[in-house]
């Protein structure tokens, strides 16, 4: 029997009280904490594009999300809070015939005492599981060369220290060459928004003459109106968001959904381009004065989605998990969906508050050519529904992974999105 020890992520102790900012800005949740002394602080490198510039800090706040970066070539593990390096350690990871997989993982389980059920009950103290198939961080012998059966071994003192620093769900990015987080700002990155009902309730409190309203001159009262006044439950658990190209079957299925909604009768919404679906396309082409071919070309799809008043065609899929459970899925438009993406992880690290653009950082788990993080984000176009869901549930430490790698094989029940990259 496996015991799962869940630890709660740091959360805000209060909601910011500036009501005017809530109503005039996009709306964001403030989560703050005291400073932490960092070892070898690294300056934040800003990657600008598509949005407001990100700020810089020399020291990370203690509630900034923790990320663990592992370089197999260097046999080195680095711990970051935000974009600041706080701890490093040598490791021993993999050997011939037992390589350590590269990619994006998260800590699924933590056990101080654990024994391998694959390798003769070998002890694995301070075990932090990355996959249910047997890959983990743990204490072990660390010579100056790869020597494990795929796990990431750490010296005893560091393994114990890291165990005390992490929570379940913390990201671990394993790459061949050393990767480094950078700050990024872009309009495609979500910002926290108050639900419409909360904004309406707060607006009532500003309008004189209504029951419970405050006067314009009562600044102290205005400042005291907060989340508790509207019974708002603020999101505290980070989201895990994944954007990936839609499969050909998913694209056909969504096209069938739109054809059906507009009354063209495509038959079952099953992702199969059969006779009824082709007949529905021809009927649409005739009405739109397009060549009647029955083929769903890009021109036809753009005209179809425009008639439906939807963002599309839906060339990408969005999946959202919280606490290892899926809570939402939907369509996005992924421009040039057939072009390589690589695997990029974006994480909200600070300034989730009214009037401020949340600060995000990015780590490239797998790059493709010279594509920058901004070039990847430029290709994402959200639907209103998908963006609203994410922004109303955004919390500190939420992450967005953009990848063209398969994820279904490793991302079953009890995991975040696990994406293994090409070594």
């Amino acid at each position: 029997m496996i015991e799962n020890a869940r630890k709660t992520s740091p959360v805000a102790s209060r909601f910011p009280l500036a009501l005017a900012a809530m109503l005039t800005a996009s709306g964001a949740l403030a989560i703050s904490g005291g400073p932490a002394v960092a070892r070898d602080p690294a300056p934040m490198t800003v990657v600008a594009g598509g949005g407001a510039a990100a700020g810089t800090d020399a020291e990370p706040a203690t509630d900034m999300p923790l990320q663990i970066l592992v370089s197999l070539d260097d046999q080195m593990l680095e711990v970051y809070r935000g974009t600041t390096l706080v701890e490093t350690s040598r490791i021993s990871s993999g050997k011939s015939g037992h390589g350590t997989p590269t990619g994006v993982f998260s800590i699924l389980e933590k056990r101080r005492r654990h024994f391998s059920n694959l390798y003769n009950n070998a002890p694995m103290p301070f075990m932090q599981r990355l996959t249910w198939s047997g890959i983990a961080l743990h204490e072990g012998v660390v010579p100056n060369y790869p020597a494990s059966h795929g796990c990431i071994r750490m010296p005893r003192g560091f393994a114990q220290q890291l165990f005390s620093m992490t929570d379940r769900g913390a990201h671990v990015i394993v790459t061949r060459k050393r990767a480094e987080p950078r700050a990024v700002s872009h309009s495609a990155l979500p910002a926290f928004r108050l639900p419409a009902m909360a904004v309406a309730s707060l607006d009532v409190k500003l309008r004189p003459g209504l029951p419970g309203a405050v006067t314009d001159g009562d600044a102290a009262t205005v400042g005291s109106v907060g989340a508790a006044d509207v019974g708002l439950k603020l999101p505290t658990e980070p989201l895990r968001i994944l954007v990936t190209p839609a499969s050909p079957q998913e694209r056909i299925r969504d096209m069938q959904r739109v054809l059906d909604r507009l009354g063209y009768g495509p038959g079952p919404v099953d992702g199969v381009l059969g006779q009824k679906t082709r007949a529905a396309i021809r009927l649409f082409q005739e009405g739109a004065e397009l060549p009647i071919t029955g083929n769903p070309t890009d021109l036809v799809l753009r005209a179809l989605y425009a008639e439906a008043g939807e963002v599309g065609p839906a060339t990408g899929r969005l999946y959202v998990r919280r606490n290892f459970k899926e809570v939402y899925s939907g369509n996005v438009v992924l421009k040039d969906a057939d072009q390589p993406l690589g695997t990029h992880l974006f994480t909200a690290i600070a300034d989730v508050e009214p009037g401020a653009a949340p600060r995000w950082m990015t780590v490239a788990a797998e790059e493709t050519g010279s594509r920058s993080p901004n070039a990847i984000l430029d290709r994402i176009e959200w639907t209103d529904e998908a963006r609203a869901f994410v922004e109303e549930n955004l919390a500190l430490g939420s992450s967005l992974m953009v990848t063209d790698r398969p994820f279904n094989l490793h991302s079953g029940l009890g995991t975040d999105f696990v994406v293994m990259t090409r070594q």
Side-chain angles (χ1 to χ4, degrees):
M1 180 69 114
I2 295 175
E3 297 178 3
N4 287 331
R6 182 178 180 279
K7 300 182 76 174
T8 304
S9 301
V11 299
S13 59
R14 62 182 178 87
F15 186 79
L17 301 179
L19 178 60
M22 286 182 182
L23 297 175
T24 59
S26 60
L29 170 61
I31 305 178
S32 59
V37 178
R39 183 176 301 174
D40 297 329
M44 184 176 284
T45 304
V46 176
V47 183
T56 59
D57 279 332
E59 294 183 345
T62 54
D63 60 357
M64 271 193 179
L66 201 74
Q67 281 194 0
I68 299 168
L69 274 60
V70 175
S71 167
L72 299 182
D73 285 351
D74 295 341
Q75 289 290 284
M76 181 69 65
L77 182 151
E78 297 177 317
V79 183
Y80 283 85
R81 280 206 181 276
T83 56
T84 301
L85 179 64
V86 295
E87 296 290 346
T88 64
S89 175
R90 62 191 180 94
I91 61 168
S92 182
S93 183
K95 64 180 180 181
S96 180
H98 296 279
T100 300
T102 57
V104 180
F105 307 87
S106 57
I107 296 172
L108 306 177
E109 177 190 28
K110 297 179 60 172
R111 302 183 72 170
R112 291 180 180 273
R113 296 184 62 200
H114 184 73
F115 298 89
S116 173
N117 58 5
L118 296 176
Y119 299 106
N120 301 319
N121 211 34
M124 300 169 62
F126 302 106
M127 186 275 295
Q128 303 192 61
R129 184 185 297 279
L130 303 184
T131 72
W132 293 114
S133 59
I135 304 299
L137 302 159
H138 65 84
E139 175 196 330
V141 177
V142 183
N144 291 320
Y145 53 86
S148 78
H149 285 95
C151 285
I152 299 167
R153 294 184 191 168
M154 301 170 289
R156 176 177 175 79
F158 184 80
Q160 184 173 2
Q161 178 186 6
L162 185 65
F163 192 92
S164 69
M165 295 171 68
T166 59
D167 295 322
R168 286 180 69 234
H171 277 305
V172 180
I173 301 101
V174 182
T175 55
R176 272 283 158 204
K177 296 181 179 179
R178 181 176 179 268
E180 186 176 0
R182 294 185 292 169
V184 60
S185 177
H186 195 284
S187 59
L189 293 170
F192 180 82
R193 73 168 80 174
L194 288 172
M197 290 181 59
V199 173
S201 298
L202 290 167
D203 184 48
V204 165
K205 293 181 177 296
L206 275 182
R207 295 163 60 192
L210 294 178
V214 297
T215 64
D216 292 337
D218 195 350
T221 306
V222 170
S224 69
V225 177
D229 296 275
V230 293
L232 180 63
K233 291 185 178 180
L234 305 176
T236 57
E237 297 292 341
L239 300 177
R240 296 290 180 246
I241 310 159
L242 183 136
V243 170
T244 191
S247 69
Q249 185 178 26
E250 288 172 328
R251 298 185 200 185
I252 293 172
R253 186 184 298 119
D254 198 66
M255 176 193 67
Q256 290 170 327
R257 176 189 62 80
V258 176
L259 285 167
D260 185 65
R261 179 190 155 198
L262 295 177
Y264 289 101
V269 180
D270 56 6
V272 177
L273 194 59
Q275 291 184 358
K276 286 189 176 181
T277 299
R278 289 191 180 277
I281 294 171
R282 287 193 290 269
L283 187 60
F284 167 74
Q285 290 171 324
E286 182 180 0
E289 298 183 349
L290 293 170
I292 302 173
T293 64
N295 295 322
T297 64
D298 287 342
L299 177 63
V300 171
L301 290 174
R302 284 197 297 270
L304 176 66
Y305 279 80
E307 181 174 322
E310 294 189 21
V311 175
T315 50
R317 289 288 293 170
L318 172 84
Y319 302 91
V320 184
R321 292 186 180 184
R322 184 196 288 124
N323 292 329
F324 304 138
K325 297 179 181 178
E326 187 165 309
V327 293
Y328 180 85
S329 64
N331 295 325
V332 292
V333 175
L334 192 57
K335 301 169 187 173
D336 301 321
D338 296 323
Q339 297 300 310
L341 282 167
T343 301
H344 301 261
L345 185 69
F346 302 87
T347 306
I349 59 173
D351 289 348
V352 190
E353 61 184 4
R359 289 169 50 196
W360 289 74
M361 73 176 186
T362 180
V363 177
E366 182 185 30
E367 295 185 283
T368 54
S370 60
R371 290 175 176 83
S372 67
N374 289 321
I376 299 300
L377 292 170
D378 284 343
R379 293 168 62 180
I380 301 173
E381 184 177 353
W382 296 75
T383 65
D384 291 341
E385 176 190 276
R387 184 143 200 162
F389 178 87
V390 167
E391 293 191 337
E392 290 178 6
N393 289 277
L394 195 69
L396 185 70
S398 295
S399 63
L400 166 65
M401 182 161 38
V402 184
T403 185
D404 50 18
R405 286 287 179 190
F407 67 94
N408 289 323
L409 179 62
H410 310 287
S411 304
L413 293 174
T415 71
D416 283 333
F417 297 110
V418 177
V419 171
M420 294 189 183
T421 56
R422 183 181 293 112
Q423 299 221 25

